[in-house]
Amino acid sequence: MSISQSFFRDIPLAPPDPILGITDAFAADTNPKKVNLGVGVYQDGQGRIPVLRTVREAEKRWLELENSKAYLPIDGLPAYRTGVQNLLFGAEHPFVKNGQLVTAQTLGGTGGLRMGADFLKRFLPQSEIWVSSPTWENHRAVFEAAGLKVNDYPYYDPETRGLAFGKMTAALRQLPAASIVLLHACCHNPTGVDLDRGQWQELTALFKQQNLVPFIDLAYQGLAEGIEQDAFAVRTFAESGVPVVVSSSFSKSFSLYRERVGAVTLVTASADEAKRAASQLKRVIRTSYSNPSSHGAQVVALILGDAELRASWEAELADMRERILRMRSLFVQKLATKQQTRDFSFIEKQRGMFSYSGLDLPRVQRLRTEFGLYIVDSGRMCVAAMNENNIDYITDAIAKVV
Ligand code: LMR
């Protein structure tokens, strides 16, 4: 059958996604030794993306308990929303008790970012957003899709392979009031370079003074230092009296990627403000996807609401965090014995799933074509996908291209 005058005719081909496109290229590669260090997905010591034991147990329980497939509320499962707030602030925190928080369940952390951005665009229509240089490949696109103008601020210093804190604060000090600034609470994606506590406090004072709006991306709570420690940035901003928008995700911390378990949380000044903000956030969601899906949120809510399941999840989360740290050390150790051209010791200082390897595009491409080793074009590697079985292959390949 032929279709004439198709309006699809002039549509240009879009480039592959810089991260998920690598998973597609990896899947098509026939090299039996191939390794995917592209996408940020945790793999266990055997190279599997695990379904956590605690998740399986909660799923079994839910299978017995579920008695309806009715819609969830627009802003999601109430027990899940409470669980999100308790992880961000602790169940006894005055923000939780006073009803100052607005949380909506979203489709993953990306959904939290997009719903937060749509909300901000509606109520701060003149504001632009600033993201770190570099940042997660999708941030810019998500915010542009929400109609925000996206700019960047200095963050990473390639000389020291650390934080350019002085340049960062100098740039932020120049921003007009009500500018929105995207911050990574921990496990900075893609660099693995985070602020320390003193720097967060300094930044909070700056935001307060300049009247800036922090939009905090917390996609890795529990994978840097621990659940409480990783909430430091969110708590510090909010407790200093700055209104905050937080996007959070359980994709990584519960290994629930495809279940799309995320949230957006607004920290407001009063229960009354919260009520009005929540009503508007629900309108944003209703006109986007109406209401979220149930399964992943239900599993997370069951785990967070049951002392035994919660303890078991925390133990599994600690195992993931510690395994990543062991892989960082092993990677550095192995590369130091295999080549002396470059010092990779900085990788041990970074936190979270990613490391900014410092490898340039020609080297990244050689790794792909000659070795079937896939990392992101920027040189970002997912350390959480390394294990005792693939580490020699990975470090051999890198030693050959540096
Ligand atoms: C990543 O940065 O690799 C992950 O957050 C997955 C994604 O959606 O890009």
Side-chain angles (χ1 to χ4, degrees):
M1 291 243 196
S2 79
I3 294 175
S4 60
Q5 306 277 332
S6 165
F7 69 90
F8 299 119
R9 189 186 49 207
D10 298 326
I11 295 179
L13 188 68
D17 183 81
I19 296 174
L20 301 182
I22 293 194
T23 303
D24 296 339
F26 173 79
D29 191 335
T30 53
N31 182 343
K33 292 194 158 158
K34 65 184 177 176
V35 181
N36 187 4
L37 304 182
V39 67
V41 168
Y42 176 88
Q43 297 182 17
D44 65 14
Q46 280 69 48
R48 292 175 303 224
I49 302 162
V51 177
L52 300 186
R53 283 187 309 279
T54 320
V55 165
R56 278 228 193 279
E57 177 54 33
E59 285 182 317
K60 266 192 232 151
R61 292 190 196 178
W62 182 238
L63 199 61
E64 294 300 313
L65 287 170
E66 186 170 44
N67 58 10
S68 173
K69 296 286 186 189
Y71 290 121
L72 288 187
I74 294 172
D75 52 357
L77 189 70
Y80 175 85
R81 297 194 280 110
T82 304
V84 170
Q85 296 183 353
N86 293 351
L87 280 180
L88 292 181
F89 288 98
E92 299 307 318
H93 198 284
F95 287 138
V96 178
K97 295 250 172 229
N98 299 343
Q100 283 170 254
L101 303 178
V102 176
T103 298
Q105 178 190 334
T106 59
L107 277 79
T110 308
L113 291 167
R114 179 61 194 268
M115 292 304 102
D118 282 349
F119 178 87
L120 288 167
K121 180 68 194 167
R122 198 167 288 187
F123 294 102
L124 290 175
Q126 305 307 327
S127 296
E128 299 181 3
I129 189 165
W130 271 259
V131 299
S132 64
S133 172
T135 195
W136 177 49
E137 263 81 356
N138 208 22
H139 274 146
R140 177 174 285 275
V142 166
F143 296 135
E144 281 176 353
L148 288 165
K149 177 159 191 299
V150 185
N151 313 281
D152 54 32
Y153 60 84
Y155 186 84
Y156 180 72
D157 181 352
E159 292 290 309
T160 63
R161 301 195 186 280
L163 187 65
F165 190 65
K167 286 190 184 150
M168 172 180 177
T169 50
L172 296 180
R173 230 172 250 121
Q174 304 304 315
L175 302 189
S179 295
I180 306 159
V181 182
L182 193 277
L183 299 162
H184 302 227
C186 65
C187 305
H188 184 268
N189 179 2
T191 66
V193 175
D194 289 337
L195 277 71
D196 64 29
R197 291 189 165 208
Q199 290 166 329
W200 280 121
Q201 278 156 342
E202 219 178 292
L203 209 61
T204 301
L206 189 158
F207 273 58
K208 219 177 145 126
Q209 194 183 16
Q210 306 283 123
N211 243 314
L212 305 177
V213 179
F215 192 164
I216 306 183
D217 189 346
L218 177 54
Y220 302 93
Q221 189 174 3
L223 283 163
E225 307 291 337
I227 294 169
E228 298 299 312
Q229 297 92 315
D230 296 351
F232 184 80
V234 172
R235 292 179 192 176
T236 304
F237 271 106
E239 285 166 4
S240 78
V242 175
V244 188
V245 180
V246 185
S247 158
S248 52
S249 167
F250 299 127
S251 294
K252 332 273 170 171
S253 55
F254 281 80
S255 194
L256 273 171
Y257 307 90
R258 65 174 62 166
E259 302 296 353
R260 311 311 293 133
V261 273
V264 60
T265 297
L266 317 173
V267 185
T268 72
S270 66
D272 174 58
E273 255 186 43
K275 196 173 162 196
R276 285 178 281 118
S279 70
Q280 295 291 350
L281 184 59
K282 284 202 271 191
R283 287 181 71 195
V284 168
I285 293 170
R286 177 68 168 145
T287 54
S288 177
Y289 54 85
S290 190
N291 48 68
S293 58
S294 153
H295 183 77
Q298 195 60 64
V299 167
V300 170
L302 275 174
I303 293 171
L304 294 179
D306 178 293
E308 197 191 320
L309 289 178
R310 172 151 177 168
S312 145
W313 164 63
E314 284 191 27
E316 288 190 270
L317 179 60
D319 283 348
M320 291 196 263
R321 179 172 65 239
E322 284 155 19
R323 205 192 74 78
I324 296 173
L325 288 174
R326 283 202 306 282
M327 286 306 117
R328 286 187 183 277
S329 302
L330 197 58
F331 178 84
V332 171
Q333 235 174 304
K334 297 250 178 205
L335 265 174
T337 62
K338 292 179 186 183
Q339 58 81 49
Q340 275 72 47
T341 320
R342 281 192 202 208
D343 175 17
F344 283 97
S345 58
F346 62 91
I347 285 180
E348 260 185 300
K349 298 197 199 91
Q350 303 167 339
R351 286 293 168 272
M353 286 190 162
F354 305 114
S355 277
Y356 220 35
S357 65
L359 297 171
D360 58 13
L361 189 57
R363 288 181 170 84
V364 169
Q365 279 165 343
R366 270 192 69 195
L367 287 174
R368 239 174 255 171
T369 49
E370 288 176 36
F371 302 95
L373 177 58
Y374 287 75
I375 71 175
V376 178
D377 283 357
S378 64
R380 186 194 86 170
M381 314 181 291
C382 179
V383 187
M386 296 179 185
N387 61 51
E388 261 97 3
N389 302 320
N390 64 20
I391 192 92
D392 273 309
Y393 185 71
I394 294 166
T395 48
D396 281 342
I398 293 175
K400 285 191 187 117
V401 304
V402 288

